[in-house]
C-alpha cells in the first residue's frame, strides 16, 4: 500500500442551506466532502475499529503500478489521520514542520515543491531591507543636526518603542493560526471584523502606494545630487540661513519628470511577475549592507584631509558631540535648507513625522507567510530581531553623526553619509539608489497584492474590478497603485510625503495593537498563540503610542486619516457584504451578553426596565406562499412592539414528526426563517423545533425558550380566522391549549385578528387607536398603544380608552379616576365610559337582543353551540357514558353559563362596532378559556367577539405590572 485515502462513509446527505434573495429562496451548495491524501498507516485496530480491505486499484498519476486501498473505520464511520485535520473552513491545515521536515497537507492537490524560506531570508532580511531606507541615508544626519543628539535619541527610542510593541502584538496574532495573503489586513480583519479590516487595510494600501513615491523621489534626488549635470531644469540655489553661502538642490521639475519615468520602468518590472521580482530582490540587499559598512568605516576614519575638516567634518570629537547635544529648531525651505523666513518651521513633533517611515517595514515578514517553513517561529524571531537591530543601528548612528560634524554641516549636507563614506561617495550613491529602488519595487509589488486580497474577500463590491484568481498577477491593481504613486511623485517634495505615509502606517500599527489587546483581554478558548511574551497592557500601550504619535505629528493629518478610515468603515458597513470571520468583537459581544445576563439575575425586572420580548409563533392557521416561512405582517407587527427598534423578537415554529427523521429539515427551515427575518429588517432570532404535534411543540417552546430574565414575555400569534371556513376541526383544541399554556407559563398573549390588513412600515394610518379596557392586565394594553404611536404608520393616530362599566356604576367618577391614572403614566388619551347591562339584568328583561350584525352572529352561535352539545350528548349516549367528552377530555356544560358568555361577547362586539368601526386598530382584553368548557365553545365566544372587526389585537397581560407611576 503506497497511498491510502480516507473518505467519509456517511451515506446521509446534508440538505443545502437556503439563501434568500428578494422574496425567493434558492438553495446553495453546502460544504463538500473532501478526500485527504495521507501516508500509509497500518495500526493494530483496537476493539470497535475494523480495517476494511478495499482491494487494489491503479496507481496515482505518473505511476503505472497498482496500490491497495485501505479504509480505517470506527463503527462504520471513516476516521481521519492526524495529518488530515482540517480547519472549520474546509481548507488544509497549516504545516509547521520540525527538524527540517517538509510536510505538505493538500486537499485533492499535489504536494507543493516550492522552496520554503527560513527565519533569516524569509523574515529578518526583508524587514531589514524595508526598515533601512531613504530616510536613513539622506535625512538622518539632518535630523541629528536639527534635534540635537539628546532629542534624536529620544526620537529613536520613542518611534522604536512603538514598532517594538507592535512587533510583539504582531508576533502574538501571527502565531495564533495560519495566515493567508493580505498581511496586516488579514490579521486585523480576522481580529476586529471585516469593516475594521477593510478600512485599515485600504489605508495601509494607500500608505504603501505613497511610500513607493517616497522611495522613487529619494532615488531620483540622490541621483541628481550625484550627477548634477543630468538635470533637465536649472538647479535651485538657496542661501544657507541668510549667509552668502549658496546651497544647490535639484529642481522640483527634474524630480517630477525623472520620478514618473522611474515609476513607469518599475511598473514594467512588476508586470513581469513575482518570480522576476524575487530573482532581482536579493541584488538590492547587497548594496545596503555594503553601504552601511562603508558609512561606519568612513565615520571612524574621518576626517580624511584638511579640506574635509574645513567643511565641518571634524571627526569623532567630544567637543563636537557636546556642541551638538542640544536641539536647534529653525525654519527651512521646502528642500530642508535652513532659511530665516522659510516656509516650514521644524520641531520635535514634525521630526517624528519625518523619521517614523525609517522604522516601518515590520510587516514585510508577515506578508510572506505563505513562503515560510515555520511561520510560528520565523515571524516573531525575525521581526523582533530586525526591529532591535535597526533601533540599535539608529542609536549608534545618532552618537556617531553627532560627534562627526558641526551642526552647520549636518543641516546643509543632506548626503553627509556619502561625503564621509569609504572609499568614495559613489559607493553610497549606488547603494542609496539601488536600495531605494528595491524598496519602491517592493511597495509596487506588495500594495497591489494587498488590494487584490481585500477585493478577493468580496466584502466591498466597488473593489470587484481588482479581484484576481489564485496564481494570477493583479495587473489592474498594479496600474491603480502606479497611478497613486505617480500622483504623489508629482508633488515632488519628500518632506511633505513622509508625514502622509506615517499616518497610514501608524493607523495600521494601531489596528494590530488593538487587535492583540482585544484578543488578549477576551482570552477566548481559540486564543492560543505560540508566542507567549505578550500582554494586553503592552498592546494597549502600543496602540496608545500610535495615536499619540499621530497627534504629535499633526492633529489635522490625524483627523483626516481617521475620518478617511471612518468613512471607509461606514461605507463597508452599509454597502459591504456580511462576513463572519470569528472576529474579536463577536467574542466581546458574547462575553458582554453573558455578563449582562448574569447581572440581570433571575429576579423580576422592574417595570421601568421592562421591555417586550415577543415570542412570535410563525406556525400559520392555513397556508402561506411558497418559500415564505412566516407571515410577512407578523414581522411588521413584531417591529411595532419595539420602541425605536430596540428589543429582540424570537420567531418560532413547529414541525410535526419525529426529531431523528426531521432534524436536518428543521435546521434548513431555521436558516430559511432567519434569512427571512433579516430580509424583513426585524431584530430577532429564529428557532424551529420538531414535535409530535403543534401543541406539544409549543408547550416545549414556552417552557424552555430564553435564559434568565431574557425569556420571552409575550406570545404573539395570528387569530385562526379560517378554522370554520376550512372546516379545520382540530384548531379549537390546539388554540385553546396554546392559550392555557401561556397562562400556566405566566406569559402575556397578543392575538392578531385581521393580520392580512395590518399596515406596512410606510402605510400611514389615520383615526384612533381604541382600547377596550375590561380587566386589569398590568398596563400591557396601554403600553402597546404607546409603542404603536412611536411608529411612522400610527404616529398620526389618537388613543381612546373605553371603560366598560355596569349601569349602576358612577360613570363620571370612573372616568376621572382613569384620567388621573393615565396622567400619572404620562399617557395622553381620551377616556370614554360605556355602561352595559349585565347578564342578570338581561335575563330578567326582554330576551331578544337588538336587531344588528352582532345579534345575527349571536343567534348563529347559539344554534351551532346547541348542535355541538347535542352531538356530544348523542356520543355519550351511544357509548354508554354519563359524562360528556370533547377532544378526548371530560367537559362540564352549564347551558346558562354558555348563554352568559355568548351574550357578553355579543354585547362587547356590538359596542366595538358602534364606537370603533373606523378605528385604525382596536385593542380588547382576551377572556381566558372557561374551565371544563369544550374548546369549540370558546372558539364560538371568540368568533362572536371579533365578528366584523377588521383589525383587532386581543391582549392578555400576566401577573405583573409593565408600567409604573413613579420616576
Amino acid at each position: 500500500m503506497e497511498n491510502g485515502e480516507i473518505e467519509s462513509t456517511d451515506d446521509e446527505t446534508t440538505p443545502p442551506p437556503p439563501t434568500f434573495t428578494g422574496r425567493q429562496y434558492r438553495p446553495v451548495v453546502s460544504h463538500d466532502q473532501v478526500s485527504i491524501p495521507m501516508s500509509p498507516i497500518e495500526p493494530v485496530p483496537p476493539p470497535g475499529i475494523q480495517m476494511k480491505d478495499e482491494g487494489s486499484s491503479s496507481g496515482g498519476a505518473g505511476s503505472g503500478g497498482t496500490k491497495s486501498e485501505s479504509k480505517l473505520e470506527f463503527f462504520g464511520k471513516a476516521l481521519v489521520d492526524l495529518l488530515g485535520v482540517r480547519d472549520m473552513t474546509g481548507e488544509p491545515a497549516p504545516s509547521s514542520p520540525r527538524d527540517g521536515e517538509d510536510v505538505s497537507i493538500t486537499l485533492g492537490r499535489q504536494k507543493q515543491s516550492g522552496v520554503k524560506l527560513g527565519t533569516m531570508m524569509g523574515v529578518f532580511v526583508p524587514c531589514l531591507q524595508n526598515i533601512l531606507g531613504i530616510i536613513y541615508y539622506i535625512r538622518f544626519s539632518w535630523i541629528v543636526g536639527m534635534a540635537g543628539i539628546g532629542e534624536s535619541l529620544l526620537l529613536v527610542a520613542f518611534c522604536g518603542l512603538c514598532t517594538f510593541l507592535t512587533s510583539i502584538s504582531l508576533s502574538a496574532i501571527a502565531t495564533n493560526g495560519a495566515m493567508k495573503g493580505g498581511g496586516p489586513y488579514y490579521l486585523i480583519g480576522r481580529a476586529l471584523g471585516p469593516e475594521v479590516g477593510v478600512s485599515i487595510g485600504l489605508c495601509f494600501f494607500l500608505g504603501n502606494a505613497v511610500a513607493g513615491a517616497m522611495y522613487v523621489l529619494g532615488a531620483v534626488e540622490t541621483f541628481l545630487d550625484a550627477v548634477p549635470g543630468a538635470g533637465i531644469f536649472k538647479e535651485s540655489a538657496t542661501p544657507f540661513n541668510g549667509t552668502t553661502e549658496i546651497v544647490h538642490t535639484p529642481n522640483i521639475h527634474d524630480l517630477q519628470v525623472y520620478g514618473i519615468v522611474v515609476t513607469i520602468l518599475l511598473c514594467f518590472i512588476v508586470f513581469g511577475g513575482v518570480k522576476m521580482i524575487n530573482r532581482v530582490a536579493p541584488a538590492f540587499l547587497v548594496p545596503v549592507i555594503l553601504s552601511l559598512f562603508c558609512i561606519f568605516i568612513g565615520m571612524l576614519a574621518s576626517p580624511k584631509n584638511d579640506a574635509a575638516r574645513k567643511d565641518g567634518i571634524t571627526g569623532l570629537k567630544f567637543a563636537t558631540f557636546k556642541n551638538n547635544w542640544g536641539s536647534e529648531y529653525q525654519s527651512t525651505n521646502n528642500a530642508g535648507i535652513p532659511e530665516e523666513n522659510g516656509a516650514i518651521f521644524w520641531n520635535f513633533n514634525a521630526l517624528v513625522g519625518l523619521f517614523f517611515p525609517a522604522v516601518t517595514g515590520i510587516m514585510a515578514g508577515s506578508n510572506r507567510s505563505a513562503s515560510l517553513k515555520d511561520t510560528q517561529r520565523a515571524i516573531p524571531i525575525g521581526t523582533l530581531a530586525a526591529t532591535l537591530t535597526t533601533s540599535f543601528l539608529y542609536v549608534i548612528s545618532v552618537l556617531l553623526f553627532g560627534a562627526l560634524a558641526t551642526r552647520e554641516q549636518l543641516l546643509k549636507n543632506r548626503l553627509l553619509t556619502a561625503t564621509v563614506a569609504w572609499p568614495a561617495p559613489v559607493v553610497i550613491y549606488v547603494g542609496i539608489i539601488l536600495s531605494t529602488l528595491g524598496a519602491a519595487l517592493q511597495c509596487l509589488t506588495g500594495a497591489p497584492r494587498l488590494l487584490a486580497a481585500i477585493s478577493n474577500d468580496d466584502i466591498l463590491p466597488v473593489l470587484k474590478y481588482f479581484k484576481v484568481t489564485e496564481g494570477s498577477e493583479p495587473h489592474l491593481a498594479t496600474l491603480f497603485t502606479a497611478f497613486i504613486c505617480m500622483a504623489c511623485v508629482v508633488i515632488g517634495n519628500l518632506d511633505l510625503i513622509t508625514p502622509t505615509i506615517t499616518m497610514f502606517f501608524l493607523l495600521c500599527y494601531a489596528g494590530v495593537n488593538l487587535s492583540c489587546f482585544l484578543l488578549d483581554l477576551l482570552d477566548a478558548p481559540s486564543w492560543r498563540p505560540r508566542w507567549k511574551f505578550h500582554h494586553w497592557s503592552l498592546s494597549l500601550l502600543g496602540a496608545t503610542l500610535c495615536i499619540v504619535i499621530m497627534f504629535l505629528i499633526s492633529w489635522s493629518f490625524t483627523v483626516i486619516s481617521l475620518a478617511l478610515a471612518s468613512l471607509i468603515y461606514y461605507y463597508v458597513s452599509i454597502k459591504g457584504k456580511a462576513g463572519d470571520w470569528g472576529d474579536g468583537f463577536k467574542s466581546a459581544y458574547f462575553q458582554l451578553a453573558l455578563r449582562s445576563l448574569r447581572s440581570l439575575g433571575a429576579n423580576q425586572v422592574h417595570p421601568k426596565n421592562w421591555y417586550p420580548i415577543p415570542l412570535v409563533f410563525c406556525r400559520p392557521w392555513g397556508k402561506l406562499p411558497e418559500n415564505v416561512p412566516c407571515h410577512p405582517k407578523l414581522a411588521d407587527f413584531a417591529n411595532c412592539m419595539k420602541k425605536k427598534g430596540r428589543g429582540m423578537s424570537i420567531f418560532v415554529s413547529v414541525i410535526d414528526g419525529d426529531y431523528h427523521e426531521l432534524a436536518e429539515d428543521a435546521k434548513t427551515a431555521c436558516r430559511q426563517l432567519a434569512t427571512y427575518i433579516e430580509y424583513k429588517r426585524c431584530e430577532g432570532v429564529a428557532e424551529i423545533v420538531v414535535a409530535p404535534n403543534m401543541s406539544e411543540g409549543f408547550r416545549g417552546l414556552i417552557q424552555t425558550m430564553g435564559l434568565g430574565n431574557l425569556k420571552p414575555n409575550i406570545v404573539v400569534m395570528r387569530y385562526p380566522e379560517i378554522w370554520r371556513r376550512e372546516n379545520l376541526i382540530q384548531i379549537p383544541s390546539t388554540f385553546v391549549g396554546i392559550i392555557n399554556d401561556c397562562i400556566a407559563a405566566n406569559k402575556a398573549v397578543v392575538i392578531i385578528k385581521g393580520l392580512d390588513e395590518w399596515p406596512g412600515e410606510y402605510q400611514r394610518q389615520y383615526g384612533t387607536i381604541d382600547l377596550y379596557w375590561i380587566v386589569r392586565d398590568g398596563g400591557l394594553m396601554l403600553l402597546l398603544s404607546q409603542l404603536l404611536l412611536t411608529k411612522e404608520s400610527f404616529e398620526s393616530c389618537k388613543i381612546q380608552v373605553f371603560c366598560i362599566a355596569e349601569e349602576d356604576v358612577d360613570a363620571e367618577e370612573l372616568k376621572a379616576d382613569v384620567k388621573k391614572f393615565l396622567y400619572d403614566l404620562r399617557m395622553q388619551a381620551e377616556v370614554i365610559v360605556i355602561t352595559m347591562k349585565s347578564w342578570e339584568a338581561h335575563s330578567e328583561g326582554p330576551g331578544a337582543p337588538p336587531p344588528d350584525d352582532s345579534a345575527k352572529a349571536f343567534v348563529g352561535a347559539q344554534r351551532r353551540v346547541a348542535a355541538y352539545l347535542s352531538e356530544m350528548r348523542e356520543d355519550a349516549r351511544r357509548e354508554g357514558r354519563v359524562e360528556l367528552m370533547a377532544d378526548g377530555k371530560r367537559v362540564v356544560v352549564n347551558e346558562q353559563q354558555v348563554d352568559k358568555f355568548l351574550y357578553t361577547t355579543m354585547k362587547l362586539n356590538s359596542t366595538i362596532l358602534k364606537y370603533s368601526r373606523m378605528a385604525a386598530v382596536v385593542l380588547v382584553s382576551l377572556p381566558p378559556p372557561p374551565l371544563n368548557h369544550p374548546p369549540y365553545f370558546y372558539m364560538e365566544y371568540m368568533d362572536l367577539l371579533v365578528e366584523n372587526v377588521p383589525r383587532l389585537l386581543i391582549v392578555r397581560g400576566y401577573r405583573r405590572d409593565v408600567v409604573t407611576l413613579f420616576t
Side-chain angles (χ1 to χ4, degrees), residues 786-804:
Q786 295 297 317
L787 292 176
L788 288 176
L789 285 182
T790 63
K791 300 303 173 183
E792 186 176 350
S793 52
F794 289 99
E795 63 182 2
S796 300
C797 298
K798 295 182 179 179
I799 298 178
Q800 293 184 144
V801 178
F802 292 87
C803 298
I804 309 298

Side-chain angles (χ1 to χ4, degrees), residues 580-611:
D580 187 3
W581 294 344
D583 53 87
F585 281 132
K586 298 291 177 63
S587 180
Y589 297 153
F590 182 76
Q591 292 199 19
L592 182 62
L594 291 180
R595 184 169 298 179
S596 302
L597 186 61
R598 289 196 300 267
S599 64
L600 283 175
N603 298 325
Q604 287 189 351
V605 179
H606 193 276
K608 289 192 294 184
N609 301 324
W610 187 88
Y611 283 86

